[in-house]
């Protein structure tokens, strides 16, 4: 005589064993949260993507490798010359956008504030100048999201005129407690 399980019993056993293998994804995400100490580089990198922008440069403590971060660090606003040492939390994003990061970065602590030497020159090649990348808001100018000044008022006006024509320029930016465009070529 052959022994068989009724269909409903077999179906319930399959469901039971498949559910017991599942885990709570929230607890897995919590395990992936990491804390890191970053040494921020004083001048941002020029990043090419859908839009050109400045990106944060940093070195993870204990490493010699410089990394460029395309995403913001929540709670941290980098400025020209700031070579801060910061503690961040890096946590996974559930259901990240297809063209976005799968990680979220949050500032936990600024351990040390330091700055590049006054007079440091940062050179950038192939910087797009258009009405979206170089803007004026009252007396303040912004280049790719970073506040800048010009060594002469006439220079900023020239750059605004060039931005109307959508050009590519090379720039020298001098650090003197802020970013100052000293030359374009």
């Amino acid at each position: 005589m052959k022994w068989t399980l009724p269909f409903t019993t077999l179906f319930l056993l399959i469901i039971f064993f498949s559910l017991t293998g599942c885990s709570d994804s929230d607890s897995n995400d919590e395990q992936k949260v990491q804390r890191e100490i970053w040494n921020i580089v004083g001048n941002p990198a020029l990043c090419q993507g859908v839009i050109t922008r400045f990106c944060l440069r940093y070195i993870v403590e204990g490493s010699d490798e410089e990394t460029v971060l395309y995403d913001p660090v929540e709670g941290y606003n980098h400025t020209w010359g700031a070579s801060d040492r910061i503690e961040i939390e890096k946590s996974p994003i559930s259901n990240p956008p297809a063209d976005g990061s799968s990680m979220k970065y949050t500032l936990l602590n600024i351990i040390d504030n330091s700055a590049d030497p006054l007079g440091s020159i940062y050179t950038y090649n192939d910087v797009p100048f258009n009405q979206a990348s170089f803007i004026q808001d009252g007396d303040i100018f912004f280049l790719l999201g970073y506040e800048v000044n010009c060594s002469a008022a006439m220079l900023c006006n020239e750059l605004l005129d060039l931005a109307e024509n959508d050009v590519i320029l090379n720039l020298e930016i001098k650090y003197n407690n802020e970013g100052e465009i000293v030359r374009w070529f």
Side-chain angles (χ1 to χ4, degrees):
M1 178 164 145
K2 215 181 212 186
W3 185 76
T4 60
L5 285 175
F7 177 76
T8 54
T9 306
L10 183 60
F11 179 74
L12 290 173
L13 284 173
I14 291 171
I15 290 176
F16 173 77
F17 286 112
S18 63
L19 289 178
T20 57
C22 294
S23 64
D24 183 9
S25 62
D26 289 342
S27 63
N28 284 341
D29 286 348
E30 287 174 13
Q31 293 172 356
K32 295 178 187 175
V33 171
Q34 298 175 1
R35 288 182 174 210
E36 293 179 342
I37 305 294
W38 291 359
N39 295 305
I40 305 299
V41 178
N43 60 312
L46 187 63
C47 296
Q48 303 291 335
V50 175
I51 61 168
T52 302
R53 61 191 170 116
F54 284 126
C55 296
L56 192 65
R57 297 170 45 212
Y58 69 93
I59 299 169
V60 175
E61 192 161 87
S63 169
D64 292 331
E65 187 175 328
E66 185 178 298
T67 303
V68 175
L69 182 67
Y70 293 80
D71 303 304
V73 175
E74 188 176 294
Y76 182 70
N77 183 28
H78 183 254
T79 57
W80 292 106
S83 297
D84 298 325
R85 185 168 173 249
I86 64 173
E87 180 182 13
I88 60 100
E89 180 177 88
K90 189 164 96 173
S91 55
I93 297 173
S94 56
N95 303 318
D99 61 346
S101 176
S102 61
M103 300 301 285
K104 176 183 177 184
Y105 304 90
T106 306
L107 176 69
L108 296 175
N109 186 25
I110 297 177
I111 298 167
D112 183 42
N113 290 94
S114 59
D116 289 350
L118 290 176
S120 294
I121 299 288
Y122 312 131
T123 303
Y124 294 97
N125 296 317
D126 301 326
V127 180
F129 260 74
N130 55 50
Q131 293 177 335
S133 66
F134 187 66
I135 59 173
Q136 181 178 11
D137 184 11
D139 292 336
I140 301 171
F141 293 89
F142 293 91
L143 174 62
L144 301 170
Y146 273 67
E147 186 176 335
V148 292
N149 292 313
C150 294
S151 58
M154 184 176 66
L155 179 61
C156 276
N157 291 330
E158 288 175 26
L159 291 171
L160 281 172
D161 290 341
L162 288 170
E164 290 181 16
N165 297 315
D166 200 10
V167 297
I168 303 291
L169 299 175
N170 299 326
L171 294 175
E172 284 185 355
I173 297 176
K174 181 179 180 180
Y175 172 66
N176 57 2
N177 288 324
E178 56 195 13
E180 180 180 88
I181 299 173
V182 292
R183 182 169 88 104
W184 62 268
F185 51 101

